[in-house]
Amino acid sequence: MTANGWLQIGLFFVVLLAVTKPLGVFMARVFSGEKTFLDPVLRPIERLIYRSCGIDDKREMDWKEYTVAMLLFSVVSMLLLYLIERVQQWLPWNPQHFAAVEAHLAFNTAASFTTNTNWQNYGGESTMSYFTQMAGLAYHNFASAAVGIALAIAVIRGIARKESKTIGNFWVDVTRCMLWVLLPACLIIALIFVSQGMVQNLRPYDTAKFLNPQTVQTTGADGKTTTQTVTDQVIAQGPFASQEAIKIFGTNGGGPFNANSAHPFENPNPLTDFMQIVMMLALGSGLTYTLGRMTGSQRHGWAVWAAMAILCLAGVTVAYAMEAHGNPLLHGIDQHTSAMQPGGNMEGKEVRFGIAPTALFATTTTDASCGAVNGMHDSFTPLGGMIPLVNIMIGEVIFGGVGAGLYGIVVFIILSVFIAGLMVGRTPEYLGKKIEAYDVKMAMLVVLIFCLIVLGLTAVAIVSPFGTSSISNPGPHGLSQILYAYTSQAGNNGSAFAGLTGNTPWYNVSGAFDMLLGRFFMVIPVLAIAGNLARKKIVPESVGTFPVTTPLFTFLLISVILIVSALTFFPALSLGPILEHLLMHAGKVF
Amino acid sequence: MKKNLLISVLFTLVTTVLLGIIYPLVVTGIAQVVFPKQANGELIKVGDKLVGSHLIGQPFTAPGYFWSRPSAAGTAGYDPTGSSGSNLGPTNKALIDRVNASVQQLQPTNPGTPIPADLVTTSGSGLDPHISPASAEFQVPRVAKERGMSEQDVRALVAKHTLGRQFGFLGEARVNVLDLNLDLDALHPMR
């Protein structure tokens, strides 16, 4: 680890802190229908959308209707994406003439992008037409992010309102999120990205001539060795800076290229890399301020922010230390960091970023449910790669995916005040609302459904030939690959231990259900909590109330998050990354 | 329910047109006018011939060139239609063997000097256009000898293509291998 590495990590926290209040205030204004400086431009577009779709923006919904509208929109937009993938050969902007996407892969991808997961069992540059990328995949980056934020706002309203049957209008929340929060920022960011070297065109791929043609020997299926000379380099193009902006800002993470943000066209230099790291967490961080503002307890918002920041710092510290230390099994090379070289575990990492930004990226992409990667997690050291895995396992509540992080942390807050209530023997309260059996049951459902689908599907895969045949790294790392796949999909993250062969009927279909259950079966209990809280009276604070604005609360929240996830997942982690770490230091190779 | 279903269909179509078609086309339009070079992949032409992109690496095996990092993208490496890391885990024998083979190939070209980690490891994209300054320095004696240049001259050329950390602290210092080799060919063609 170096001072320069820590300087970059430190600056990240400073910038994240600096954007929290402006974004939080802005979102609170947007979703409360207050005036903003963008109104003159966006109001007419907003009204046009309401009119053309028949949306009554004055009408509020109860939690059940809100849920139904969300589910219907998700199903319809998912079907459209599936359709686009299946007929892309007949649609415009397909200069490479890609064929229709296979049915099970198209299903997996449609589920993936609808749920804000962006798990990818395909390489974009060899599978998807420009039309599919823009109107199918990048559109869902907007839609799924807007749905996530809308749900978070609905939950905040549930906490803030008293004796109310309704929690807002789903269509209005999604529209305003798309138009005010996501679109203007993405327009500007996309153009900054282009100026730094991200591609933005609709041209066919270019063919360059290698300066030094390569002679390669390949062994065919018949076992014969053939020698061929490779003289050409086909350079993939595309309209991708615009996609990159929303991919990161909406914590989607599904890149147009297979290598994601490690690809020079998706992440050309250290500045774009730093921007991406901050943007991934910006809205999640801002929403903690929105929570404080809309519930009238700004100190509570900061107490939650502090818990998230502490967990984030802890994660990046471990990941950075492990990756900077390098791989003890590699001999005869210099892995020491210096001004002349990044050093450390450079397998799967880019020279322009080096160790600290890659460790930070891996941490933040899984703090959020983003899943973009600027280095390959599969090639991280065992404990360095465990940090992203653990971040997802604790529910991506460290700032979290846009919206999903906030409603995720509300679940843990409810459990925390419940446990605090048990300790002092009083009915727990949260910001004036009594937390009762129904709320706690729903919160526990969220926690239990997640571990059930992750561990259940992992268990099936590791005892089945169709599960284990996709493993590419033998030994404990193989278990980590499968565990990571199901954790990432259920958590709607989308990053991967990418050596696992995911494009098989089993992984496509089981993964799609993993993602759909991970999104919608979590959201329904969360909205039920929101609806139930909205109905309740406000009880005045008393001496027996456990305050949710203090460092003690922050500490308790962190403890509950860690204990719940550690108890659930520690056995699996000990057989995967922890065992691999011990064996690696004992010199064992698989 | 019925009403929300109808809204879902219309809303999906309307917002797809706005966010999935208009938005990327507007960005494309502005980008093509304001940043045409960047928006089209920073392509490099020598005469009429397209020789690559400043942002995308190429494989080099001839001893007179600076070599890039190993690549897991495509059969010959550095295939932008199949960007990929090796995804080999840290305890995978295939990784250890591959690194050992690279070490055995590289060490004789500069005995006694430690080999920088980035020169024997694959990047995440398989397209990494850069090597570290240490990895370039490691190769200076070999390239100088092959091209009949003084090591000083080669070093000066390396320095010309070395980028420091952005703003002095972001990322890592790096050398663009394709740019450097193009310059080598232009100034001191191989004998």
Side-chain angles (χ1 to χ4, degrees):
Chain A
M1 294 197 278
T2 63
N4 192 70
W6 280 109
L7 178 65
Q8 297 178 71
I9 293 167
L11 184 72
F12 152 75
F13 279 102
V14 171
V15 176
L16 187 68
L17 182 62
V19 300
T20 299
K21 183 176 170 182
L23 281 173
V25 172
F26 181 71
M27 282 191 280
R29 294 186 71 88
V30 166
F31 293 108
S32 308
E34 295 170 38
K35 275 212 177 77
T36 69
F37 67 100
L38 292 168
D39 288 4
V41 187
L42 296 177
R43 277 278 186 194
I45 305 176
E46 183 193 18
R47 274 195 290 264
L48 186 68
I49 291 176
Y50 294 158
R51 210 166 337 126
S52 53
C53 301
I55 295 165
D56 177 4
D57 60 318
K58 298 285 178 293
R59 204 174 71 84
E60 289 243 331
M61 300 174 173
D62 64 14
W63 79 267
K64 282 177 187 154
E65 189 187 352
Y66 203 98
T67 309
V68 168
M70 180 271 295
L71 290 173
L72 285 173
F73 175 51
S74 300
V75 169
V76 168
S77 59
M78 179 174 157
L79 287 175
L80 180 65
L81 173 54
Y82 180 82
L83 188 71
I84 291 174
E85 291 179 73
R86 298 287 291 154
V87 300
Q88 67 171 3
Q89 72 275 28
W90 298 316
L91 296 172
W93 295 313
N94 186 6
Q96 299 311 117
H97 308 290
F98 291 130
V101 181
E102 272 178 287
H104 56 87
L105 178 58
F107 173 53
N108 182 281
T109 306
S112 171
F113 278 72
T114 307
T115 55
N116 197 258
T117 309
N118 295 26
W119 177 268
Q120 296 170 294
N121 281 339
Y122 61 89
E125 64 268 49
S126 56
T127 316
M128 299 294 179
S129 74
Y130 294 163
F131 185 87
T132 308
Q133 297 268 17
M134 293 184 337
L137 303 175
Y139 166 70
H140 271 272
N141 287 354
F142 279 101
S144 63
V147 168
I149 293 177
L151 295 173
I153 295 297
V155 169
I156 294 176
R157 287 199 194 104
I159 299 165
R161 290 181 177 181
K162 52 182 185 237
E163 297 171 72
S164 163
K165 285 208 176 69
T166 60
I167 53 173
N169 182 314
F170 174 74
W171 302 112
V172 172
D173 289 343
V174 170
T175 305
R176 294 187 69 88
C177 185
M178 284 174 170
L179 292 183
W180 268 261
V181 180
L182 300 176
L183 184 58
C186 285
L187 263 176
I188 295 165
I189 292 161
L191 289 171
I192 297 175
F193 279 171
V194 179
S195 77
Q196 297 301 305
M198 277 187 210
V199 286
Q200 184 73 35
N201 61 64
L202 293 162
R203 296 186 308 121
Y205 295 0
D206 289 290
T207 304
K209 292 279 173 211
F210 273 152
L211 197 54
N212 181 188
Q214 298 294 302
T215 307
V216 283
Q217 289 192 330
T218 43
T219 311
D222 53 358
K224 271 191 199 150
T225 310
T226 47
T227 305
Q228 69 178 115
T229 306
V230 181
T231 56
D232 289 354
Q233 184 181 43
V234 177
I235 299 175
Q237 298 282 353
F240 296 148
S242 55
Q243 184 165 351
E244 196 65 22
I246 186 60
K247 162 193 135 184
I248 294 289
F249 200 47
T251 61
N252 295 281
F257 295 110
N258 188 45
N260 208 285
S261 284
H263 195 297
F265 282 171
E266 281 197 58
N267 200 354
N269 63 37
L271 174 66
T272 55
D273 189 63
F274 187 81
M275 286 175 66
Q276 293 189 15
I277 292 171
V278 173
M279 281 165 58
M280 277 192 267
L281 296 187
L283 289 176
S285 180
L287 277 170
T288 64
Y289 196 91
T290 311
L291 169 72
R293 191 174 166 97
M294 287 176 71
T295 57
S297 176
Q298 208 60 69
R299 286 180 60 204
H300 173 57
W302 285 119
V304 172
W305 192 92
M308 293 172 164
I310 290 167
L311 286 167
C312 179
L313 179 63
V316 71
T317 304
V318 175
Y320 184 23
M322 289 299 147
E323 295 310 298
H325 189 257
N327 183 344
L329 297 175
L330 299 181
H331 301 292
I333 64 170
D334 180 7
Q335 297 188 68
H336 289 99
T337 305
S338 74
M340 291 286 281
Q341 64 151 346
N345 176 26
M346 279 302 285
E347 183 71 17
K349 295 189 183 64
E350 306 287 301
V351 167
R352 62 192 178 282
F353 307 139
I355 302 294
T358 310
L360 181 60
F361 202 112
T363 307
T364 56
T365 197
T366 48
D367 285 343
S369 66
C370 184
V373 293
N374 75 347
M376 295 303 133
H377 294 181
D378 215 348
S379 297
F380 271 38
T381 60
L383 295 187
M386 190 176 78
I387 292 300
L389 184 54
V390 168
N391 279 339
I392 308 172
M393 283 172 169
I394 64 179
E396 293 153 327
V397 291
I398 309 172
F399 301 108
V402 290
L406 191 98
Y407 61 70
I409 200 85
V410 166
V411 166
F412 279 111
I413 292 170
I414 285 173
L415 293 180
S416 300
V417 296
F418 172 64
I419 288 167
L422 286 183
M423 287 194 274
V424 294
R426 275 180 54 100
T427 308
E429 291 160 23
Y430 176 41
L431 296 174
K433 296 288 176 67
K434 277 206 164 73
I435 300 298
E436 288 157 312
Y438 180 82
D439 309 300
V440 177
K441 274 185 208 158
M442 290 295 136
M444 279 315 296
L445 258 186
V446 173
V447 174
L448 290 175
I449 289 170
F450 181 66
C451 67
L452 183 74
I453 53 182
V454 169
L455 295 175
L457 284 168
T458 304
V460 174
I462 56 170
V463 295
S464 315
F466 50 76
T468 52
S469 59
S470 285
I471 290 175
S472 69
N473 285 306
H477 202 95
L479 171 63
S480 304
Q481 285 187 308
I482 292 179
L483 185 62
Y484 198 104
Y486 287 113
T487 308
S488 172
Q489 292 179 93
N492 295 155
N493 186 277
S495 65
F497 274 19
L500 187 79
T501 308
N503 189 14
T504 66
W506 160 255
Y507 278 104
N508 277 330
V509 175
S510 67
F513 283 107
D514 194 21
M515 292 185 276
L516 292 168
L517 295 172
R519 174 91 163 180
F520 297 111
F521 272 68
M522 314 270 234
V523 163
I524 294 169
V526 165
L527 280 171
I529 293 173
N532 196 44
L533 288 181
R535 271 212 316 269
K536 293 183 188 192
K537 289 198 291 261
I538 300 276
V539 289
E541 228 175 84
S542 71
V543 285
T545 305
F546 178 69
V548 291
T549 54
T550 58
L552 180 66
F553 165 75
T554 299
F555 174 75
L556 185 72
L557 181 57
I558 293 173
S559 309
V560 168
I561 292 170
L562 291 180
I563 290 165
V564 167
S565 57
L567 286 180
T568 313
F569 291 107
F570 185 74
L573 289 173
S574 61
L575 292 173
I578 295 173
L579 182 62
E580 191 189 11
H581 173 79
L582 297 173
L583 291 173
M584 180 178 80
H585 281 276
K588 180 101 175 94
V589 170
F590 295 91
Chain B
M1 174 91 180
K2 230 183 190 165
K3 180 154 175 46
N4 278 317
L5 181 60
L6 181 68
I7 295 176
S8 298
V9 174
L10 294 171
F11 188 79
T12 302
L13 295 175
V14 170
T15 49
T16 295
V17 171
L18 176 68
L19 302 169
I21 296 175
I22 297 176
Y23 158 70
L25 291 187
V26 166
V27 176
T28 306
I30 300 174
Q32 288 294 331
V33 173
V34 186
F35 308 109
K37 194 170 171 340
Q38 292 93 323
N40 293 311
E42 306 255 14
L43 300 175
I44 312 169
K45 282 194 173 152
V46 175
D48 277 348
K49 204 172 109 185
L50 184 63
V51 294
S53 158
H54 291 294
L55 295 178
I56 305 284
Q58 288 190 6
F60 293 95
T61 42
Y65 284 121
F66 280 89
W67 295 341
S68 304
R69 305 176 65 190
S71 163
T75 43
Y78 291 89
D79 179 356
T81 60
S83 62
S84 176
S86 72
N87 286 314
L88 295 174
T91 56
N92 193 330
K93 188 166 180 296
L95 170 71
I96 319 290
D97 290 349
R98 197 203 70 212
V99 170
N100 285 340
S102 293
V103 168
Q104 271 161 24
Q105 188 200 1
L106 282 163
Q107 197 67 75
T109 67
N110 190 348
T113 309
I115 304 170
D118 61 284
L119 198 54
V120 295
T121 48
T122 64
S123 63
S125 61
L127 306 174
D128 196 342
H130 301 115
I131 53 176
S132 66
S135 293
E137 174 57 35
F138 181 88
Q139 303 185 59
V140 164
R142 186 193 75 229
V143 173
K145 187 162 151 258
E146 289 293 324
R147 297 218 174 219
M149 296 167 67
S150 76
E151 291 191 7
Q152 238 86 7
D153 289 348
V154 178
R155 270 194 198 100
L157 216 51
V158 169
K160 190 182 147 199
H161 290 282
T162 303
L163 272 178
R165 289 184 170 128
Q166 210 165 358
F167 311 120
F169 70 99
L170 279 182
E172 293 289 342
R174 55 210 185 273
V175 180
N176 189 308
V177 182
L178 178 59
D179 287 352
L180 173 60
N181 284 331
L182 280 168
D183 230 8
L184 270 175
D185 273 359
L187 296 172
H188 297 269
M190 261 187 282
R191 289 173 294 178

